[in-house]
Amino acid sequence: MEEHLTVGRVAELAGVSVRTLHHYDGIGLVQPSARTAAGYRAYSAGDVERLREVLAYRRLGFGLREIADLVDDPTTDAVAHLHRLRGLLLEQRDRAAAMATAIDRELEARAMGIRATPEEQLRPFGAQLYETIGSAYPATRRTEPRIAARIRDALGDARTVLNVGAGTGSYEPPDRDVTAVEPSAVMRAQRPAGAAPCVAASAERLPFEDQSFDAAMAVSTVHHWPDPVAGLREMRRVARRVVVFTYDAGTTGWRERFWLTRDYLPEFAGLLVDWPSLADLTRAIDGRAEPVLVPWDCADGFFEAHWRRPEAYLDEHVRRAVSVWTRVGPEAEERAVNGLRDDLSSGRWAERNRDLVALDTAELGLRLLVA
C-alpha cells in the first residue's frame, strides 16, 4: 500500500464518512499519525490496521467504549484480533442462518393455514437459537459434566459465588447466586441470555469488599491473567472458599505426558516459562491441589481434551477454540498440524500411542485448587 493514506482516501476505501473518521480521531479511537507532503494528517499502515479492527467490531454491533477496550488490550495482537473477528463473524452468519430457517418454517406453516403460537414466534430469538448455532460448532467450549461435578462438590454449600475470568459462563452453577467477572468485551458479549450478571474487571483488582462471597471460582482462565498469584490472592480476599481449575507445569517430565506437546508442538513449553509453580498457586490461596483426569470423550474442547481423538486437532474450528494455537503462532501451528496429519495417515501416531486406546481417562496435568 501507499506509505500513507489521506483521510478522504481512507473514507472512500472503508465505506465510511470523513465525519466518522474525524469523530474517531476526536475521541482518541483511531488517530492518523502520518503527514502528507503538504503537511496534512494521514493514516500510516499501523493506523489502517487499527481502523480495520475498529470498523469490524463496530459492524458486529460493539459499542465504541467496548471497542476501545478491545483494540487497546495489550495481550491481543493483530493475528489474535483476526482470529477473534473470524469466529464472531462465523457465529453471526450461523445465527442469521438459524433465524432464516425458523422463518422459513413459519412461512410454510402459514401457507397451510397454521399460525405459530406466541412461544414459537419468540423461540428463534431466545436460548433455543443458541442451541441450534452451537450444534454447528464441534469446537464450542461446552461444559464437561464430570468436571462440573468436581467443581460443584468443591463449592460445597456456598450460596453466593463469584466467577472470575468467567468468559461465556461455562461451569457457572445454575443453583447458586452467581456474579461473573470478565475483562474481555468480546467474551461478555457472547454470554447467553439469562446468564449471571457480569462485571467488567480484572482478577488482580476485584471491585468487591473483603469476604463478599461464600466462594470464588475460576475455570481455565488463570493462564490468561497478567499476574496469576495476585489474582488468586484477590479471590481469597473476597471469598471464604476458593475453587480454581488450572494447569500444573512444574511436575518433573510434564513436557512428556501429552503427545501433542511432546511430538508436535514443543513451543507450548515457551508459553509457560514464567508460569508460577503449583506450590506458588496453592500457597496464594492457602489451599490444596487435586488432580483432574481428562475423560476420553471430554465435551469441553480445551487444549488437552482430544488426547484420544487426535483427528480433532486437524479441525481448524477445534484449534480456534483454544488460545494455545494463537499464542504459538501460525508457523508452529501449521508445522504441528501437518506433522500430525502425516503421522495419522502413515499409522505412526497409532503405533507411538497405542497404549492410549485402552484408557478411559488421562492424567495431563490439570488440577483443581481448593481452599
Side-chain angles (χ1 to χ4, degrees):
M1 61 175 283
E2 302 169 29
E3 185 176 353
H4 51 250
L5 298 175
T6 64
V7 174
R9 178 60 173 155
V10 168
E12 177 186 356
L13 290 170
V16 298
S17 67
V18 171
R19 182 178 180 179
T20 295
L21 296 180
H22 284 322
H23 179 60
Y24 290 168
D25 183 5
I27 63 175
L29 188 58
V30 183
Q31 296 178 310
S33 60
R35 294 280 179 178
T36 67
Y40 295 106
R41 300 185 72 183
Y43 290 80
S44 67
D47 301 332
V48 169
E49 185 174 88
R50 181 181 174 93
L51 177 62
R52 184 272 313 280
E53 293 165 1
V54 167
L55 294 175
Y57 285 122
R58 188 67 174 137
R59 289 169 187 174
L60 281 164
F62 287 90
L64 293 181
R65 289 186 179 179
E66 285 191 315
I67 293 172
D69 290 340
L70 289 168
V71 298
D72 288 330
D73 183 356
T75 65
T76 306
D77 60 16
V79 172
H81 276 299
L82 288 173
H83 284 311
R84 179 185 287 167
L85 287 166
R86 184 177 186 275
L88 289 169
L89 287 166
L90 290 174
E91 180 181 341
Q92 186 181 71
R93 178 200 66 186
D94 287 349
R95 182 183 293 115
M99 291 180 68
T101 298
I103 291 171
D104 287 342
R105 289 172 180 168
E106 183 171 347
L107 287 171
E108 291 174 2
R110 291 198 176 216
M112 294 184 290
I114 302 171
R115 189 174 181 85
T117 67
E119 291 83 2
E120 290 170 336
Q121 291 178 45
L122 292 176
R123 189 170 293 124
F125 300 92
Q128 293 83 355
L129 175 61
Y130 288 91
E131 294 172 5
T132 302
I133 296 169
S135 66
Y137 285 91
T140 297
R141 299 293 297 271
R142 301 184 298 275
T143 299
E144 164 52 51
R146 286 156 288 192
I147 295 176
R150 292 283 303 275
I151 294 171
R152 185 170 58 251
D153 290 344
L155 289 172
D157 60 358
R159 298 307 307 164
T160 57
V161 177
L162 179 68
N163 187 15
V164 182
T168 59
S170 296
Y171 299 98
E172 289 179 358
D175 58 341
R176 318 291 174 101
D177 181 6
V178 177
T179 300
V181 167
E182 173 54 53
S184 168
V186 167
M187 300 304 290
R188 292 197 304 272
Q190 295 182 76
R191 290 176 65 82
C198 191
V199 177
S202 66
E204 295 86 351
R205 295 181 179 178
L206 296 174
F208 306 104
E209 300 293 332
D210 294 356
Q211 304 296 288
S212 298
F213 300 90
D214 294 334
M217 60 182 282
V219 179
S220 298
T221 179
V222 175
H223 55 286
H224 292 300
W225 301 354
D227 190 339
V229 170
L232 293 174
R233 287 173 177 164
E234 272 287 270
M235 291 178 67
R236 190 60 168 151
R237 178 185 66 79
V238 302
R240 288 177 282 278
R241 180 175 297 167
V242 177
V243 179
V244 178
F245 182 47
T246 187
Y247 182 80
D248 172 22
T251 304
T252 302
W254 69 269
R255 289 181 176 85
E256 304 300 315
R257 63 190 168 203
F258 187 24
W259 56 263
L260 182 57
T261 57
R262 180 192 65 211
D263 301 331
Y264 303 99
L265 200 65
E267 291 84 358
F268 179 72
L271 303 180
L272 300 172
V273 170
D274 297 322
W275 182 245
S277 68
L278 185 64
D280 289 336
L281 297 176
T282 53
R283 191 179 302 115
I285 60 171
D286 191 23
R288 66 183 186 278
E290 303 173 356
V292 178
L293 302 183
V294 183
W296 76 270
D297 55 349
C298 184
D300 189 346
F302 51 73
F303 184 56
E304 300 85 357
H306 307 286
W307 59 270
R308 216 183 83 176
R309 297 167 289 169
E311 295 83 1
Y313 293 106
L314 304 182
D315 187 335
E316 184 181 357
H317 290 115
V318 169
R319 300 196 304 276
R320 291 289 70 79
V322 180
S323 62
V324 167
W325 296 102
T326 297
R327 295 173 66 196
V328 298
E331 292 183 5
E333 178 179 358
E334 182 178 7
R335 191 206 64 250
V337 171
N338 288 340
L340 176 58
R341 181 182 292 109
D342 291 345
D343 285 355
L344 287 172
S345 178
S346 68
R348 190 178 299 112
W349 184 93
E351 175 62 24
R352 187 182 292 157
N353 300 283
R354 58 183 179 275
D355 294 340
L356 297 183
V357 178
L359 299 179
D360 290 328
T361 60
E363 208 300 74
L364 297 173
L366 300 180
R367 297 291 182 266
L368 195 66
L369 311 185
V370 182

